């Protein structure tokens, strides 16, 4: 039954929703259409995406087998000369030490959960980077690795993604309810003058940050009710629009040409 679900709301009884597809629709419904509904070829993976996938594999090994395996895994995945790998190893050691040890529940595990939602059947899909538990503080932490630049805007978008994972896990009775998010950004380079709002996150209630020796940042924060409530409201509206096959274009002269592989399709519509 789950295999019959589709990202296209018109094809099957079950609507399939992954974290990536949901975030794509929230960003731009037309991009969702090009990516998941329209029958057009997808662009090949970028160098950045390939690198990110390899570093994710290294982190998976580091979480499951221990940080001491990261160097060997980096060689295997051909990123042993990447500064982000060294930084990731240091951050994981620091965080595990400061938290007094952590138990890895799982890493890179794909979940599919079926639910009756707003009058229709939905299959929620998620591939979570990591899920860890700190027994002494009774914390269950959803871990997310982000390669590339990190700033307050990207942090806010990533928080929304992790609330999606929080909701997914909350639908699974065998899992403890997550209490915290941990963001790992090994490519982050703090400005020389230290003037970055991201560095102030550690001053906020319940939050902690870790910095690598030259680059990289880890941010731990409790899961807030405000984030959950805001996401729940936007999710309801988003799924309703998806079922109605609403594909409006959210064109941006800056974002679309730089970051969207489908911008030429939209440009053709705009100029025709």
């Amino acid at each position: 039954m789950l295999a019959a679900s589709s990202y296209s709301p018109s094809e099957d009884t079950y609507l399939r929703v992954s974290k990536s597809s949901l975030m794509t629709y929230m960003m731009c419904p037309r991009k969702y259409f090009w990516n998941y509904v329209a029958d057009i070829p997808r662009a090949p993976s970028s160098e950045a995406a390939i690198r990110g996938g390899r570093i994710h594999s290294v982190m998976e090994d580091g979480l499951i087998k221990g940080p001491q395996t990261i160097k060997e895994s980096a060689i295997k995945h051909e990123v042993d000369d990447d500064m982000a790998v060294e930084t990731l190893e240091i951050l994981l050691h620091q965080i595990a030490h400061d938290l007094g040890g952590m138990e890895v529940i799982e890493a890179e595990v794909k979940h599919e959960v079926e639910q009756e939602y707003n009058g229709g059947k939905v299959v929620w899909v998620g591939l979570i980077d990591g899920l860890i538990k700190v027994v002494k503080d009774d914390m269950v932490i959803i871990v997310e690795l982000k390669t590339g630049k990190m700033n307050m805007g990207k942090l806010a978008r990533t928080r929304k993604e992790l609330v999606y994972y929080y909701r997914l896990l909350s639908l699974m009775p065998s899992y403890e309810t997550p209490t915290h998010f941990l963001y790992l950004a090994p490519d982050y380079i703090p400005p020389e003058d230290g003037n970055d709002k991201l560095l102030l996150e550690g001053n906020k209630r319940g939050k902690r940050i870790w910095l690598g020796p030259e680059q990289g940042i880890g941010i731990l924060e409790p899961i807030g009710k405000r984030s959950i409530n805001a996401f729940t409201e936007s999710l309801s509206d988003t799924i309703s629009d998806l079922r109605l096959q609403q594909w409006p274009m959210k064109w941006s002269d800056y974002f679309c040409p730089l970051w969207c592989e489908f911008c030429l399709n939209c440009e053709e519509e705009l100029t025709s």
Side-chain angles (χ1 to χ4, degrees), residues 189-237:
I189 299 177
E192 292 183 3
D193 61 4
N195 185 21
D196 187 351
K197 291 182 179 179
L198 205 61
L199 298 175
L200 301 177
E201 287 295 291
N203 298 331
K204 297 180 181 178
R205 184 177 180 181
K207 293 192 178 186
R208 298 180 67 174
I209 69 168
W210 292 266
L211 293 172
E214 297 181 24
Q215 65 182 58
I217 189 171
I219 302 174
L220 178 71
E221 67 177 24
I223 302 174
K225 289 184 179 180
R226 181 181 299 178
S227 297
I228 296 171
N229 293 338
F231 179 82
T232 300
E233 183 176 341
S234 64
L235 179 65
S236 178
D237 294 339

Side-chain angles (χ1 to χ4, degrees), residues 19 51-61 63 70 84-85 87-89 91-92 108 127-131 142-150 154 158 161-162 165 181-188 216-219:
K19 181 264 290 182
R51 170 182 177 262
R54 290 174 176 174
I55 295 176
H56 271 80
S57 296
V58 172
M59 187 185 78
E60 179 184 356
D61 286 340
L63 286 176
I70 285 180
V85 173
T87 300
L88 181 61
E89 180 181 7
L91 286 173
L92 286 175
E108 294 285 339
L127 179 64
I128 302 174
D129 287 350
L131 192 63
I142 300 176
V143 182
E144 179 75 4
L145 170 66
K146 288 294 185 185
T147 52
K149 293 182 179 180
M150 174 59 77
K154 189 171 182 178
T158 305
E161 295 176 3
L162 296 195
Y165 288 148
F181 296 147
L182 174 61
Y183 312 89
L184 296 172
D187 290 321
Y188 171 76
I217 189 171
I219 302 174

Side-chain angles (χ1 to χ4, degrees), residues 70-255:
I70 285 180
K71 286 186 174 64
E72 180 184 349
S73 180
I75 294 172
K76 173 185 174 182
H77 294 288
E78 301 180 347
V79 286
D80 50 301
D81 59 348
D82 196 311
M83 185 64 180
V85 173
E86 181 180 341
T87 300
L88 181 61
E89 180 181 7
I90 293 170
L91 286 173
L92 286 175
H93 273 297
Q94 286 181 337
I95 293 168
H97 175 271
D98 292 349
L99 294 180
M102 55 192 191
E103 171 191 328
V104 178
I105 299 171
E106 63 182 37
E108 294 285 339
V109 174
K110 185 176 182 179
H111 297 286
E112 297 189 7
V113 181
E114 177 185 327
Q115 184 188 30
E116 283 285 341
Y117 182 80
N118 284 11
K121 295 179 181 179
V122 176
V123 177
W124 308 104
V125 182
L127 179 64
I128 302 174
D129 287 350
L131 192 63
I132 61 178
K133 182 173 183 178
V134 179
V135 178
K136 74 180 186 67
D137 292 324
D138 199 27
M139 293 192 297
V140 177
I141 304 171
I142 300 176
V143 182
E144 179 75 4
L145 170 66
K146 288 294 185 185
T147 52
K149 293 182 179 180
M150 174 59 77
N151 51 41
M152 290 300 293
K154 189 171 182 178
L155 180 67
R157 292 192 296 273
T158 305
R159 181 178 296 112
K160 189 179 294 185
E161 295 176 3
L162 296 195
V163 174
Y164 173 87
Y165 288 148
Y166 167 88
R167 184 183 181 280
L168 178 69
L169 292 172
S170 298
L171 294 172
M172 303 170 67
S174 58
Y175 283 82
E176 293 184 65
T177 302
T179 61
H180 289 72
F181 296 147
L182 174 61
Y183 312 89
L184 296 172
D187 290 321
Y188 171 76
I189 299 177
E192 292 183 3
D193 61 4
N195 185 21
D196 187 351
K197 291 182 179 179
L198 205 61
L199 298 175
L200 301 177
E201 287 295 291
N203 298 331
K204 297 180 181 178
R205 184 177 180 181
K207 293 192 178 186
R208 298 180 67 174
I209 69 168
W210 292 266
L211 293 172
E214 297 181 24
Q215 65 182 58
I217 189 171
I219 302 174
L220 178 71
E221 67 177 24
I223 302 174
K225 289 184 179 180
R226 181 181 299 178
S227 297
I228 296 171
N229 293 338
F231 179 82
T232 300
E233 183 176 341
S234 64
L235 179 65
S236 178
D237 294 339
T238 299
I239 298 302
S240 294
D241 288 343
L242 244 176
R243 286 193 174 121
L244 291 172
Q245 301 184 52
Q246 301 296 310
W247 319 121
M249 185 190 305
K250 293 184 180 179
W251 179 264
S252 164
D253 288 333
Y254 169 76
F255 176 83

